């Protein structure tokens, strides 16, 4: 049996990850491909509890290393309990954010130590790296305007515009350095975004 493919969606707040995820779900269903959709931080009961801890507003300062370890603790659980079993059974995995978000948020944006992230990634991922990472790239003002309409903002949504610029640039830099990335211009109308995503999916589906 062939292994399932692993697709991750990355990008800043309001770049359209959730919108893209539901388009990909429709595409996979119409191609009769078995898949699971999941997200990070989270994806399992325990990992979702860690996510809630991580996003909660609190008086106590959250040390950068604590944040990094929490995210990787959730990821360890996610990989072992959900991602690995699916891929081994030939099921495709679709994740809203994955390890690249750690490099960008806990790394570049928080001036974290990239070497520590490399070590954790090497330790935790066990080779379960995405076959395709779709980076939804959108100017910060457009992304923030899209999420502004939403009622509930969390801790990360309220970071400064500069923080979001750093995030965008860090994603673009990672994309330029890694072959599994495809950059999609997410400032286009949704139909254009979907078209570009479909090209990526066809390519991945035909690749052996
Ligand atoms: N290409 C687009 N053009 C216009 N509006 C869009 C586009 N893509 C998504 N939107 C809208 O922007 C908002 C944010 O999109 P979405 O929730 O998919 O982003 P997200 O990346 O998942 O955000 P978050 O990081 O907060 O989870 C939604 O209201 C969605 O309908
Ligand atoms: Mg979303």
């Amino acid at each position: 049996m062939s292994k399932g493919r692993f697709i991750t969606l990355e990008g800043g707040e309001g770049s359209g990850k959730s919108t893209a995820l539901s388009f990909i779900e429709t595409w996979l269903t119409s191609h009769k491909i078995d898949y699971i959709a999941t997200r990070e931080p989270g994806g399992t009961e325990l990992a979702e509890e860690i996510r809630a801890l991580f996003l909660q507003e609190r008086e106590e300062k959250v040390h950068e290393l604590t944040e990094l370890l929490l995210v990787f603790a959730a990821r360890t659980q996610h990989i072992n309990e959900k991602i690995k079993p699916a891929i081994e059974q030939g099921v495709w995995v679709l994740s809203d954010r994955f390890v690249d978000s750690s490099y960008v948020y806990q790394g570049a944006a928080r001036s974290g130590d990239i070497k520590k992230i490399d070590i954790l990634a090497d330790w935790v991922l066990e080779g379960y790296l995405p076959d395709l990472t779709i980076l939804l790239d959108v100017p910060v003002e457009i992304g923030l305007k899209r999420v502004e309409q939403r009622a509930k903002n969390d801790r990360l949504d309220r970071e400064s515009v500069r923080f979001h610029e750093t995030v965008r640039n860090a994603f673009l830099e990672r994309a330029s350095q890694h072959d599994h990335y495809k950059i999609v211009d997410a400032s286009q109308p949704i139909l254009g975004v979907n078209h570009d995503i479909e090209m990526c999916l066809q390519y991945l589906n035909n690749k052996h």
Side-chain angles (χ1 to χ4, degrees):
M1 193 207 312
S2 64
K3 286 190 178 184
R5 305 277 158 94
F6 184 16
I7 304 171
T8 63
L9 292 155
E10 299 281 5
E13 271 64 49
S15 57
K17 298 177 297 298
S18 302
T19 308
L21 192 127
S22 78
F23 171 73
I24 298 173
E25 290 195 86
T26 308
W27 190 90
L28 291 171
T29 304
S30 74
H31 285 74
K32 301 194 167 44
I33 295 171
D34 269 349
Y35 73 89
I36 54 162
T38 186
R39 69 166 180 184
E40 284 213 340
T44 77
E45 199 182 310
L46 173 58
E48 288 289 331
E49 284 181 30
I50 298 173
R51 177 195 180 96
L53 275 177
F54 162 80
L55 290 174
Q56 204 174 77
E57 285 276 4
R58 64 183 74 243
E59 302 234 322
E60 182 180 340
K61 179 187 181 301
V62 180
H63 192 278
E64 283 123 49
L65 189 54
T66 310
E67 181 172 308
L68 181 65
L69 291 170
L70 281 175
V71 171
F72 269 95
R75 182 164 297 132
T76 304
Q77 192 68 11
H78 191 207
I79 290 172
N80 286 290
E81 290 302 307
K82 199 164 179 184
I83 297 175
K84 198 160 146 179
I87 290 175
E88 294 307 322
Q89 284 166 32
V91 174
W92 287 37
V93 175
L94 193 53
S95 187
D96 188 333
R97 296 197 182 283
F98 191 59
V99 72
D100 296 280
S101 278
S102 290
Y103 280 98
V104 168
Y105 287 89
Q106 284 76 46
R110 302 226 182 275
S111 319
D113 184 350
I114 300 293
K115 270 192 243 126
K116 282 200 183 107
I117 305 180
D118 278 335
I119 291 165
L120 286 169
D122 188 48
W123 196 29
V124 162
L125 298 186
E126 294 180 56
Y128 285 88
L129 282 161
D131 298 296
L132 169 68
T133 295
I134 298 174
L135 172 60
L136 294 152
D137 179 55
V138 71
V140 169
E141 321 80 76
I142 300 181
L144 290 181
K145 205 162 277 165
R146 284 180 190 167
V147 291
E148 238 167 46
Q149 281 107 1
R150 268 197 317 227
K152 191 179 129 282
N153 283 6
D154 61 33
R155 185 164 65 86
L156 291 177
D157 279 333
R158 286 200 292 276
E159 304 279 356
S160 71
V161 170
R162 219 175 112 194
F163 173 89
H164 292 287
E165 293 285 2
T166 307
V167 165
R168 184 186 183 202
N169 293 331
F171 270 126
L172 286 170
E173 197 184 331
R174 270 193 77 70
S176 72
Q177 293 164 346
H178 297 271
D179 290 342
H180 70 282
Y181 262 102
K182 291 273 184 248
I183 303 173
V184 169
D185 172 7
S187 67
Q188 304 175 78
I190 292 179
L191 285 179
V193 174
N194 289 350
H195 171 268
D196 290 356
I197 291 172
E198 190 167 6
M199 295 294 109
C200 300
L201 296 174
Q202 278 170 359
Y203 174 77
L204 183 65
N205 198 21
N206 294 328
K207 207 166 92 173
H208 294 288

